[in-house]
Amino acid sequence: MKPKNIVALLASCMARVTTTGCAMEGDSLPRRAATFVDTVLRGIGQVMLQNNSLTGLLFLVGIFYNASLFGWAVLLGTITSTATAMLLGAERAQVRAGLFGFNGALVAIGLMYFLDLNLLTWTYVVLAAASTTVILAALLRLLGTWNVPALTAPFVFTTLFFVMACARFGRLQTTGVLPTAGLPKAASTVEGIVTISTVLEGLFNGIAQIFFQGNMVTGVIFALALLISSRVAGLAALLGSFTGILVAWIMGAAEPAIRSGAFGFNSALTAIALVSVFFVLDVASAAYALLATVVTVVVFAAMSGALEPLGMPALTSPFVLVVWLFVLAGPLFPRLRRAAG
Amino acid sequence: MKPKNIVALLASCMARVTTTGCAMEGDSLPRRAATFVDTVLRGIGQVMLQNNSLTGLLFLVGIFYNASLFGWAVLLGTITSTATAMLLGAERAQVRAGLFGFNGALVAIGLMYFLDLNLLTWTYVVLAAASTTVILAALLRLLGTWNVPALTAPFVFTTLFFVMACARFGRLQTTGVLPTAGLPKAASTVEGIVTISTVLEGLFNGIAQIFFQGNMVTGVIFALALLISSRVAGLAALLGSFTGILVAWIMGAAEPAIRSGAFGFNSALTAIALVSVFFVLDVASAAYALLATVVTVVVFAAMSGALEPLGMPALTSPFVLVVWLFVLAGPLFPRLRRAAG
Amino acid sequence: MKPKNIVALLASCMARVTTTGCAMEGDSLPRRAATFVDTVLRGIGQVMLQNNSLTGLLFLVGIFYNASLFGWAVLLGTITSTATAMLLGAERAQVRAGLFGFNGALVAIGLMYFLDLNLLTWTYVVLAAASTTVILAALLRLLGTWNVPALTAPFVFTTLFFVMACARFGRLQTTGVLPTAGLPKAASTVEGIVTISTVLEGLFNGIAQIFFQGNMVTGVIFALALLISSRVAGLAALLGSFTGILVAWIMGAAEPAIRSGAFGFNSALTAIALVSVFFVLDVASAAYALLATVVTVVVFAAMSGALEPLGMPALTSPFVLVVWLFVLAGPLFPRLRRAAG
């Protein structure tokens, strides 16, 4: 199926959605279906913290543009984790906002990216996506004690566990994309020269990599999707990705890694979260978010090294860790005002 | 001392126990001793979440049947950790239910299994068993915030730390049983063919391995001991062990590992915990427990790989992690009813 | 600048501090400066849990005595993390007690110890020290739920992340002091013979190593600084360091490591914390602290091994982990009385 067909299909579903409210008991079947589609799209939007189905749809378009396999994976993952939440009777408003969708979306795309394709892999993806729902609920309870969000932690844990497990499972093979297990080297040299093209490619790749997509056009589509949902979020993502590039360049990171967006996608997410979601934007919170964004680059470099002996990628663990710490610390710093949401 | 002598000794102690209540201030010395023996046996029973001294006694019989060294280790460990709790003034009812015993039991058997025997090792076991009491109390406070049980986490942490430390201690040597430290391989092949005998041996080994025993007869004794305490728990353990075998086989795990019960013991514990202890058994909780049991197999494979660079075994960490998540998530899923206990 | 000049400078600042209260809005500039100096010195004192600026000053003297680079690093780190807390509007009394200083002090000295020196390194130190303030605030909120202290956890996390990250950053190089990444060996032999000189050197090195200083005289100055603040704390540190040596020697640890104070500095901190800060000193708490101090040695050996595949040092993680567990467990053991502070 080609991208434009998918878009047409989804757009026709979207047209039916005339309300953002939940599907009610008395709703007709088509209306229920439309509501479910809207919920799934919000789930995809929530990958970048946007409760907006149009943004989610555009994310999907961006992914299908690059590789339709990943588009299907995202749909399967989001549907599975959302449906699991509904089957278990999770709170309607949370499900409706796509909260139980985004980790399923990411786990599915992650497993498809790291594992060889066969029928068992698809089953494995369904199992993993269903697991994210339980892990999210567990984290909602755990972190709710401090009013801290779960973010993409269920995705990180589930992907790491499900990929790592394959070393014991002869019928599930990993692809060459996965880093080779090795001992971290103490020394590194400055590799390659950062040019304008590095920065430009890195900037949009940094946003595309949030969904494992190494494609500038996809990155541009994602940025537009964000801007539609929230101008502040869109600008924060771009500035976050740019900060990632800048800091990595100053510290002497390898040029190909900078160009690929590796140093940008966690920083972009950190910037979106702190600037547009968890704090009211002012001078203090902007400075606070800048510190967090810079620290995210360091934590990304550290996590990449820490996971090297396991041959595992850092995924969005730096974003999760840094935003957890900075949100947790917030109330002790009265200069920062927590956003109402 | 031969197993049957031990049993006779313990049975005569048991006979004196006419009440399950705590030893009171005014109790006579023999009565206090009998109460203590009963407490220790409950501690052994709690390894599989059974507050039942007969079950604990039968576990001990099963262990002595396989190897008397491990039987003595279990007794030493349980006595040490229970006595430490009493000395520190821990709550009487919790001590009496064997809550401060089972981690000591497991740590002692674990250290005996992984370390070369000498006088220092026995001292080390006592130190480790006493530590589990503090770690359990710490976890009771920590996890009590969310009404989540500590399970065998103190055993897992203490064993990993005390075994890992031996690499720095010239007078404490590890045995060849311990996995060799290495980098996880990305690829694996399907090794060996799973037959009926694999399943049958794996089924009971999976229950025996909870106490580090690779012995089918011991597994059968353990299963009977469980059935005596709770038919649901006994069936859950068997089904859990079987699910572990089945999932590992479908995924293409190595036949010798499946036969040894390696893929079953964590799943058996997960099944006991979710089906017979923490949730009221119905269709929803059965499906939830099945998901947890399957996920436990994946987490076991992942943890084994994750600990490979340290040359450490996964122990019951998959059971602990999965049950923590699934119990923590419970209240957000109204379809599941939490058991009163 | 020579040590005695530094001392003279600091002493003249100290002379101006006539109150331990906070700088108030109406305070004159010199008075504010003096208050800030006092706050910074308390921050240095808090590395060993002493809210005492004279103790902090003597710690600084001891460090300058050994290596002035580390002295400047401590000052830069403490000032940065304290100033960050003030800028973010952290609670005045906590800042004033040096609570936001000690992790900055340790991170700065740690990074200076492990990284090659250049202008970027100094910037990196400032970034790391500022980060400890956010991490401390995050841990204060997190652990406050159970009334558990953050201790030096921000230092441990920040140092590990910032050093590990250098493997990806070509302009930040690690020194040869850092352990080489490798797989832990299962076997070890007893290496070297422990003599009186091992014990004597190890005893004071164990206290000096808390600030990364391998210098007996510095250790003696630190011990005196502690005794000035609290006789119990000073004796606890010495006994803790001694217990570390004794346990390591019994277990068969390598003599050079024992002599260097490697097995003592975590135990010294554990002893200070449990004996003089968190529990009222009596027979029960002394026994409890002894258990904790012995366990700290095992945890140090284990953490050193666990971090070997990453080529990272254990730092004070054993102290943090053990004191967290023993303080957390405290309320469940009524024999122990929690200190009011």
Side-chain angles (χ1 to χ4, degrees), chain A residues 163-164 166-168 174 178 181 309-310 312, chain B residues 182-188 305 308:
Chain A
V163 173
M164 217 143 44
C166 292
R168 292 284 183 285
T174 50
L178 210 65
L310 302 179
M312 287 294 136
Chain B
L183 296 171
K185 284 171 214 72
S188 61
E308 218 171 320

Side-chain angles (χ1 to χ4, degrees), chain B:
Chain B
M1 204 172 195
K2 288 185 184 155
K4 60 178 176 180
N5 295 345
I6 298 295
V7 176
L9 178 74
L10 289 169
S12 74
C13 289
M14 280 295 299
R16 298 189 191 190
V17 184
T18 53
T19 169
T20 60
C22 302
M24 293 297 160
E25 295 298 318
D27 280 356
S28 64
L29 198 66
R31 190 179 184 92
R32 277 160 174 268
T35 305
F36 186 72
V37 168
D38 185 70
T39 299
V40 167
L41 292 177
R42 282 170 197 274
I44 299 169
Q46 287 282 16
V47 166
M48 300 196 204
L49 300 104
Q50 308 305 312
N51 179 7
N52 184 313
S53 48
L54 183 55
T55 299
L57 178 63
L58 285 171
F59 286 167
L60 201 56
V61 169
I63 296 164
F64 268 106
Y65 172 85
N66 184 42
S68 58
L69 173 69
F70 292 141
W72 293 116
V74 162
L75 282 172
L76 177 67
T78 318
I79 290 170
T80 304
S81 59
T82 305
T84 305
M86 290 165 75
L87 283 170
L88 287 163
E91 201 191 320
R92 195 182 281 248
Q94 291 190 329
V95 176
R96 194 65 188 85
L99 213 66
F100 284 96
F102 67 104
N103 283 290
L106 285 172
V107 156
I109 208 168
L111 291 184
M112 283 297 160
Y113 189 68
F114 292 121
L115 302 189
D116 271 352
L117 255 185
N118 60 36
L119 190 65
L120 191 60
T121 315
W122 286 102
T123 321
Y124 206 57
V125 164
V126 169
L127 181 65
S131 302
T132 63
T133 295
V134 178
I135 299 179
L136 179 69
L139 288 177
L140 285 177
R141 270 201 75 213
L142 195 76
L143 301 171
T145 309
W146 304 277
N147 198 16
V148 165
L151 305 171
T152 52
F155 150 64
V156 172
F157 290 131
T158 308
T159 306
L160 287 181
F161 275 95
F162 274 71
V163 174
M164 216 142 46
C166 293
R168 291 285 183 285
F169 295 148
R171 292 199 184 86
L172 288 162
Q173 302 289 333
T174 50
T175 56
V177 184
L178 210 65
T180 315
L183 296 171
K185 284 171 214 72
S188 61
T189 52
V190 182
E191 194 187 308
I193 293 158
V194 173
T195 62
I196 296 282
S197 96
T198 314
V199 175
L200 212 68
E201 273 200 51
L203 187 67
F204 290 103
N205 277 340
I207 297 174
Q209 288 287 6
I210 295 172
F211 274 105
F212 294 89
Q213 307 300 303
N215 186 310
M216 262 191 79
V217 178
T218 299
V220 172
I221 298 172
F222 286 179
L224 289 173
L226 271 175
L227 287 164
I228 284 170
S229 170
S230 150
R231 261 173 295 179
V232 176
L235 289 174
L238 287 166
L239 282 172
S241 179
F242 181 71
T243 307
I245 293 166
L246 198 69
V247 173
W249 173 65
I250 291 172
M251 306 275 193
E255 192 271 346
I258 297 177
R259 183 183 291 267
S260 75
F263 284 97
F265 71 102
N266 276 287
S267 298
L269 285 170
T270 298
I272 296 172
L274 294 186
V275 164
S276 72
V277 182
F278 298 113
F279 294 103
V280 175
L281 183 56
D282 57 20
V283 178
S285 71
Y288 195 63
L290 181 63
L291 176 63
T293 308
V294 173
V295 167
T296 300
V297 183
V298 176
V299 173
F300 173 76
M303 287 300 298
S304 301
L307 290 167
E308 218 171 320
L310 303 179
M312 287 294 135
L315 305 174
T316 52
S317 62
F319 151 65
V320 171
L321 189 60
V322 171
V323 173
W324 276 354
L325 289 170
F326 277 71
V327 168
L328 204 46
L332 263 66
F333 301 136
R335 293 269 163 93
L336 304 165
R337 284 173 297 151
R338 179 83 187 241

Side-chain angles (χ1 to χ4, degrees), chain A:
Chain A
M1 203 172 196
K2 288 187 185 153
K4 61 179 176 181
N5 295 345
I6 299 293
V7 175
L9 177 75
L10 289 168
S12 75
C13 289
M14 278 296 298
R16 297 188 192 191
V17 184
T18 53
T19 170
T20 59
C22 302
M24 292 297 160
E25 295 300 317
D27 282 356
S28 64
L29 198 65
R31 189 179 184 93
R32 277 160 174 268
T35 306
F36 186 72
V37 169
D38 185 70
T39 300
V40 166
L41 292 177
R42 281 169 198 274
I44 299 170
Q46 287 282 15
V47 166
M48 300 196 204
L49 300 103
Q50 307 305 311
N51 179 7
N52 184 313
S53 48
L54 182 56
T55 299
L57 177 64
L58 286 171
F59 286 167
L60 201 56
V61 170
I63 297 165
F64 268 107
Y65 172 86
N66 184 42
S68 59
L69 174 69
F70 292 141
W72 293 116
V74 161
L75 281 172
L76 177 67
T78 317
I79 290 170
T80 303
S81 61
T82 304
T84 305
M86 291 164 76
L87 284 170
L88 287 164
E91 201 191 320
R92 195 183 280 248
Q94 291 190 328
V95 175
R96 194 65 189 85
L99 213 65
F100 285 95
F102 67 104
N103 283 289
L106 285 172
V107 156
I109 207 167
L111 292 183
M112 283 297 161
Y113 189 68
F114 292 121
L115 302 188
D116 271 351
L117 256 185
N118 61 37
L119 190 65
L120 191 60
T121 314
W122 287 102
T123 321
Y124 205 56
V125 164
V126 169
L127 181 65
S131 302
T132 63
T133 296
V134 178
I135 300 180
L136 180 69
L139 288 178
L140 285 177
R141 269 201 76 213
L142 195 76
L143 300 171
T145 309
W146 303 278
N147 198 18
V148 165
L151 305 171
T152 52
F155 149 63
V156 172
F157 291 130
T158 309
T159 307
L160 288 181
F161 275 95
F162 274 71
V163 173
M164 217 143 44
C166 292
R168 292 284 183 285
F169 295 149
R171 291 200 186 85
L172 288 162
Q173 302 289 333
T174 50
T175 56
V177 184
L178 210 65
T180 315
L183 296 171
K185 285 172 214 71
S188 61
T189 51
V190 182
E191 194 187 308
I193 293 159
V194 173
T195 62
I196 296 283
S197 96
T198 314
V199 175
L200 211 68
E201 273 199 53
L203 187 67
F204 290 102
N205 277 340
I207 297 174
Q209 289 287 7
I210 295 172
F211 274 104
F212 293 88
Q213 307 301 302
N215 186 310
M216 261 190 79
V217 178
T218 300
V220 172
I221 299 173
F222 287 179
L224 290 172
L226 271 175
L227 286 165
I228 285 170
S229 169
S230 149
R231 259 172 297 177
V232 176
L235 289 174
L238 288 166
L239 282 173
S241 180
F242 181 71
T243 307
I245 293 167
L246 198 69
V247 173
W249 173 65
I250 292 172
M251 305 274 194
E255 192 271 346
I258 297 177
R259 184 183 290 268
S260 76
F263 284 98
F265 70 103
N266 276 287
S267 297
L269 285 170
T270 298
I272 296 172
L274 294 187
V275 164
S276 73
V277 181
F278 298 113
F279 293 102
V280 175
L281 182 57
D282 57 19
V283 178
S285 71
Y288 195 63
L290 180 63
L291 176 63
T293 309
V294 173
V295 168
T296 300
V297 183
V298 176
V299 173
F300 173 76
M303 286 301 296
S304 301
L307 290 167
E308 218 171 320
L310 302 179
M312 287 294 136
L315 304 174
T316 52
S317 62
F319 151 64
V320 171
L321 189 60
V322 171
V323 174
W324 275 354
L325 289 171
F326 277 72
V327 168
L328 203 47
L332 263 65
F333 300 136
R335 293 269 164 93
L336 304 166
R337 284 172 298 150
R338 178 84 186 240

Side-chain angles (χ1 to χ4, degrees), chain A residues 145-148 183-190 248-254 263 284 288 291 294-295 297-299 301-309 321 324-329 331-336 338, chain C residues 84-91 94 100 120 124 127 130-131 133-146 160-162 164-174 178 181-183 308-311:
Chain A
T145 309
W146 303 278
N147 198 18
V148 165
L183 296 171
K185 285 172 214 71
S188 61
T189 51
V190 182
W249 173 65
I250 292 172
M251 305 274 194
F263 284 98
Y288 195 63
L291 176 63
V294 173
V295 168
V297 183
V298 176
V299 173
M303 286 301 296
S304 301
L307 290 167
E308 218 171 320
L321 189 60
W324 275 354
L325 289 171
F326 277 72
V327 168
L328 203 47
L332 263 65
F333 300 136
R335 293 269 164 93
L336 304 166
R338 178 84 186 240
Chain C
T84 305
M86 290 165 75
L87 283 169
L88 287 164
E91 201 192 319
Q94 291 190 327
F100 285 95
L120 191 59
Y124 205 56
L127 181 65
S131 302
T133 295
V134 178
I135 300 179
L136 179 70
L139 288 177
L140 285 177
R141 270 201 76 214
L142 195 76
L143 301 170
T145 310
W146 303 277
L160 288 181
F161 275 95
F162 274 70
M164 217 141 47
C166 293
R168 292 286 183 285
F169 295 149
R171 292 198 185 86
L172 288 163
Q173 302 289 334
T174 50
L178 211 63
L183 296 172
E308 218 171 320
L310 301 179

